[in-house]
Amino acid sequence: MDDSCTLPDQAAPGTGSDAAGVSPQASQPSTASAGNSNTDPNLNGPLTLRPGHELPFVAPSSYLRPKPSSRTMSDKTSNPLDKDQMQGLRGIREFLKVRTSYDVLPLSFRLVILDNDLLIRKSLNILIQNGIVSAPLWDSRNGTFAGLLTSTDYINVIQYYCQFPHEIDQVDQFRLSSLRDIERAIGVLPLETVSVHPMRPLYEACRRMLKTRARRIPLIDTDDETGRETVVSVITQYRILKFIAVNNEQHTMLLKKPVREIGLGTYIDLATANMNSSVLDVIYLMVKYNISAVPIVDKDNRVMNLFEAVDVIPCIKGGAYDELTATVGDALSQRAEDFGGIYTCSEEDRLDSIFETIRKSRVHRLIVVDDDSRLKGIISLSDILKYVLLYGEEEDDLQEY
Ligand code: AMP
């Protein structure tokens, strides 16, 4: 589900519904429960685990059902796995070229748009109250779309506060329209404001997201009569991959090469933290590496949990910037009741089973672990989107986008 949308009970044909998600607890690998033990020696104090939060790990292979092979006998002689893999990727690319961004939207959804004049402090409460993690901004003076508010903006405000701690009163008075000034003051490159027309091919939205490293893209239309911009919705990488997973099983089932073999994800120079790290340390890692999540490991590099950029939002609720010195363990224990858990896979897992997991659950990234739950790598949705769109493509074919 798009983070700014609510799916109706009956989703649009072909869009699927998050309600189909399988309970993560049901397929819990035995090693994973160590990650949430409230007796873990790395914790400052006991982590309070609410009912339903005890077993947050899911392995995608547990979703993998045997599928009939579409391969013919003659394929077997010529590297059938590679052939199938390319056939699957081409099928998905063709699909993305004939469908539009509009097709990804559910029949009805909720869209929260924030006025650029709103105090940043108040915008936080609105996001939390509405259970969303981003929102399009609107410049009501000029009647134009003014960009997308995301957790990165709050991380920038935190950096500003850290660099200019004596200006806390001023930070409290910042409006959303000041976000660009904050970027300049802390010396980060402004994010490219990227958008797409809802009726353009979905492939185009994907290419723009990859080019700008945006994890979500607003759909902007122009009113025929007034010529004014209209924000239609926002689609996320997760929404797009789910759309592929739900509507393209005949192609995703061909992606049978192990993630190790196709080099999917990042395996070296991983940014990690432990339960005793401060929230501020983890934010620093996210900024330094330009990433949206940091695996939390124990002293043996076993994966305990994951701190995501969106976990920053509740930490600064009510302008509590001084509470960022709290530990990751404390911050993660505040997660919402309906937190879906984190998802793991092994290097032997294949993209077909990952798509199967995305089809059934709200997955934002997969942590690659070995048999002892030790961290091996991380696969982000951007890694999957990049592989699905670009692997094996000739430069010339990509020029037009
Ligand atoms: P993301 O920010 O999740 O879209 O990821 C952007 C890129 O950084 C992807 O290629 C990921 O594989 C990689 N990545 C994500 N998390 C980490 C991490 N904790 N350490 C190193 N690389 C990461």
Side-chain angles (χ1 to χ4, degrees):
M1 185 170 72
D2 187 308
D3 289 313
S4 59
C5 308
T6 321
L7 269 181
D9 288 340
Q10 189 195 2
T15 54
S17 160
D18 290 332
V22 175
S23 160
Q25 289 88 335
S27 51
Q28 156 83 3
S30 57
T31 48
S33 58
N36 284 281
S37 161
N38 55 7
T39 56
D40 186 87
N42 279 324
L43 295 178
N44 267 354
L47 250 186
T48 323
L49 295 171
R50 290 185 296 277
H53 278 229
E54 304 90 340
L55 308 167
F57 289 74
V58 179
S61 50
S62 57
Y63 290 134
L64 188 61
R65 281 180 270 109
K67 298 269 162 47
S69 170
S70 64
R71 209 184 299 147
T72 60
M73 289 294 282
S74 59
D75 288 338
K76 280 187 182 163
T77 50
S78 55
N79 222 343
L81 268 189
D82 285 334
K83 245 177 123 178
D84 277 3
Q85 191 92 2
M86 269 327 291
Q87 193 186 328
L89 292 175
R90 283 199 199 102
I92 296 171
R93 287 169 196 164
E94 286 314 308
F95 170 79
L96 293 173
K97 285 174 185 170
V98 296
R99 303 303 285 267
T100 66
S101 295
Y102 194 80
D103 293 334
V104 180
L105 302 178
L107 273 182
S108 80
F109 55 87
R110 183 176 51 127
L111 178 66
V112 177
I113 300 179
L114 300 181
D115 193 292
N116 225 7
D117 271 339
L118 192 70
L119 287 172
I120 294 179
R121 176 167 48 87
K122 289 194 175 170
S123 72
L124 254 177
N125 292 342
I126 293 173
L127 294 193
I128 293 169
Q129 275 162 14
N130 284 281
I132 54 177
V133 293
S134 86
L137 301 178
W138 187 253
D139 179 343
S140 47
R141 282 170 220 202
N142 300 315
T144 53
F145 166 65
L148 202 58
L149 175 71
T150 69
S151 46
T152 303
D153 293 308
Y154 294 109
I155 288 175
N156 288 344
V157 176
I158 291 168
Q159 288 188 81
Y160 184 92
Y161 168 72
C162 292
Q163 287 185 27
F164 310 100
H166 48 281
E167 289 185 18
I168 180 68
D169 291 342
Q170 204 186 327
V171 172
D172 227 31
Q173 293 309 313
F174 275 145
R175 295 179 189 276
L176 292 170
S177 52
S178 330
L179 286 170
R180 301 289 88 89
D181 299 330
I182 292 175
E183 282 169 351
R184 267 192 295 278
I186 60 171
V188 299
L189 281 177
L191 288 177
E192 200 180 316
T193 309
V194 54
S195 64
V196 74
H197 190 280
M199 298 316 285
R200 296 293 302 161
L202 186 50
Y203 188 85
E204 192 174 310
C206 296
R207 288 301 309 272
R208 284 197 190 176
M209 288 166 93
L210 287 179
K211 206 166 160 197
T212 56
R213 297 195 59 165
R215 296 174 190 105
R216 55 191 77 229
I217 188 165
L219 308 184
I220 309 291
D221 200 351
T222 310
D223 188 289
D224 286 342
E225 281 176 23
T226 61
R228 291 178 72 158
E229 288 184 327
T230 314
V231 183
V232 176
S233 188
V234 178
I235 53 172
T236 59
Q237 290 178 343
Y238 165 71
R239 228 322 142 194
I240 294 171
L241 289 169
K242 183 157 186 133
F243 187 64
I244 294 172
V246 168
N247 295 288
N248 256 269
E249 217 179 338
Q250 77 275 27
H251 294 126
T252 57
M253 68 187 278
L254 297 174
L255 307 175
K256 292 194 187 312
K257 296 186 78 176
V259 296
R260 174 185 43 75
E261 223 176 287
I262 59 176
L264 190 68
T266 302
Y267 296 83
I268 51 169
D269 194 22
L270 292 169
T272 63
N274 62 51
M275 285 290 192
N276 282 327
S277 308
S278 72
V279 171
L280 217 43
D281 287 341
V282 181
I283 290 175
Y284 172 73
L285 283 176
M286 290 197 274
V287 172
K288 182 178 165 204
Y289 283 75
N290 193 9
I291 49 175
S292 60
V294 174
I296 308 302
V297 294
D298 70 6
K299 60 180 177 11
D300 298 317
N301 208 29
R302 285 201 182 85
V303 178
M304 317 277 295
N305 216 317
L306 182 77
F307 192 92
E308 300 169 276
V310 292
D311 289 317
V312 169
I313 294 177
C315 291
I316 51 172
K317 189 180 168 192
Y321 295 98
D322 42 350
E323 285 175 24
L324 292 167
T325 48
T327 65
V328 163
D330 284 340
L332 293 181
S333 67
Q334 311 288 324
R335 268 180 174 154
E337 292 281 343
D338 60 353
F339 175 67
I342 70 170
Y343 288 79
T344 62
C345 69
S346 82
E347 286 182 283
E348 298 311 315
D349 273 314
R350 308 174 321 204
L351 212 41
D352 60 347
S353 62
I354 292 178
F355 268 112
E356 188 67 2
T357 309
I358 292 172
R359 194 165 73 81
K360 296 184 170 174
S361 313
R362 183 185 263 271
V363 183
H364 289 288
R365 57 190 60 74
L366 293 125
I367 308 295
V368 187
V369 291
D370 68 11
D371 291 344
D372 288 327
S373 292
R374 287 199 172 84
L375 178 68
K376 302 289 286 182
I378 186 160
I379 300 175
S380 292
L381 298 188
S382 54
D383 296 322
I384 300 175
L385 204 56
K386 194 170 177 183
Y387 177 78
V388 166
L389 258 76
L390 305 185
Y391 178 77
E393 284 288 76
E394 299 290 336
E395 271 300 309
D396 291 351
D397 296 337
L398 300 174
Q399 290 305 320
E400 58 179 300
Y401 292 95

